[in-house]
Amino acid sequence: MQAARIAPSLLAADFAHLADDVALIEPYVELLHLDVMDGHFVPNITFGMPIIAALRRSSSLFFDCHLMTTNPDAYFQALRTAGVDLVTVHIEVYPDPTRVAAKARAEGLAFGLAMSPPTPFEAIEPFVEVADLVLVMSVNPGFGGQSFIAESLRKVEIARKFIDSHALSADIEIDGGVNSENARIAREAGADVFVAGSAIFGSPDPVGAVRDLRAAIESME
C-alpha cells in the first residue's frame, strides 16, 4: 500500500473563487481532483479545458482528471496541453480499455480506470495491469454532495488484494462522500488516494478539514 494522499475535488469549490480556494489548500494536499462531466455519460455538465488551463497557471499540484464522458479519449491531447497529469476513464465506457490506455500514455498522461457503484471489480480486473490508478466510486457518478456508499469498501478490499497479490503498482482511489469518519475505514480497506469535495471545500475551515481527514487516515497506519 502506498503512502496516503488527499485529492480535494474542485467540484465542491466556489466557482467564483477557484484559484483562491485551490491556493488555500495546496500546501496541505498532494493532488487536485478534476471532475469533467459531459451531460451524456452523467446528467450534469461541469468544466473543461479553459478552467483547467487557468488553474494550472496558478497551481503546481498533480492534476487528477476524472472523465465522466462518453468519449474521453477524444480530449486526451487537449487535457495534456491544459496541464492534466492523469486521466481516469470509466470501464462502463470502455469495457476493454487497452487501446485507450496506450493512447493516454502516448500523450504523456498517466492512466486510471474507474468503476461506478453497480459495476463489479471483475469488470476491471483484466486491465488493472495497464492502469496507474483504480478509482472506486463510493457514490453514483454525476453530482457532488452525495452520501458515502459503504458497500464500496468491499471493492476496495478486493482491489487491494488483487494489486498486492499480483505485485502491481496501481493506486486505489476512493471518491464520493469521503470524510474524516469513513476515510479511516477506507484506508483500512486499502485505499491510497482520498477524494474529498464537500468535506473540504464545504467546510468553514478547509485547511482544518484537510488536517482532520489526514489524521483519520493516518490513525490506521
Side-chain angles (χ1 to χ4, degrees), residues 49 75-87 107-109:
M49 264 58 77
Y75 301 100
F76 285 174
Q77 184 177 40
L79 287 164
R80 183 58 178 158
T81 299
V84 165
D85 297 294
L86 177 146
V87 288
E107 294 292 349
L109 292 160

Side-chain angles (χ1 to χ4, degrees), residues 1-157:
M1 199 156 60
Q2 306 290 334
R5 279 145 288 158
I6 295 174
S9 173
L10 191 71
L11 190 60
D14 181 349
F15 272 50
H17 303 93
L18 289 180
D20 292 339
D21 279 7
V22 172
L24 179 65
I25 52 87
E26 179 157 353
Y28 308 98
V29 301
E30 292 80 21
L31 303 88
L32 184 65
H33 190 77
L34 307 170
D35 288 305
V36 174
M37 307 179 193
D38 65 355
H40 296 281
F41 179 65
V42 292
N44 200 4
I45 296 173
T46 53
F47 49 82
M49 264 58 77
I51 295 294
I52 295 170
L55 284 171
R56 175 48 78 202
R57 290 193 290 271
S58 62
S59 174
S60 60
L61 285 171
F62 186 94
F63 279 11
D64 159 27
C65 187
H66 179 192
L67 292 163
M68 286 170 271
T69 70
T70 54
N71 59 338
D73 63 314
Y75 301 100
F76 285 174
Q77 184 177 40
L79 287 164
R80 183 58 178 158
T81 299
V84 165
D85 297 294
L86 177 146
V87 288
T88 297
V89 306
H90 272 259
I91 195 71
E92 297 87 4
V93 174
Y94 298 113
D96 182 347
T98 308
R99 178 191 63 81
V100 177
K103 185 174 181 179
R105 297 193 192 289
E107 294 292 349
L109 292 160
F111 181 74
L113 281 172
M115 296 172 280
S116 295
T119 303
F121 177 75
E122 287 73 19
I124 218 170
E125 182 179 302
F127 310 106
V128 174
E129 64 182 3
V130 304
D132 298 293
L133 179 143
V134 170
L135 169 53
V136 177
M137 291 294 297
S138 46
V139 297
N140 290 303
F143 294 92
Q146 299 180 65
S147 297
F148 186 84
I149 299 173
E151 290 79 5
S152 61
L153 293 172
R154 179 58 183 152
K155 275 198 281 189
V156 174
E157 292 173 347

Side-chain angles (χ1 to χ4, degrees), residues 154-208:
R154 179 58 183 152
K155 275 198 281 189
V156 174
E157 292 173 347
I158 294 169
R160 178 84 277 152
K161 182 177 181 180
F162 182 85
I163 288 168
D164 291 350
S165 65
H166 289 76
L168 300 174
S169 59
D171 287 320
I172 299 173
E173 181 175 80
I174 189 157
D175 176 10
V178 173
N179 56 39
S180 58
E181 295 179 5
N182 54 45
R184 179 183 61 81
I185 53 176
R187 180 59 169 172
E188 184 177 24
D192 303 298
V193 183
F194 299 79
V195 177
S198 300
I200 293 175
F201 289 122
S203 168
D205 178 9
V207 172

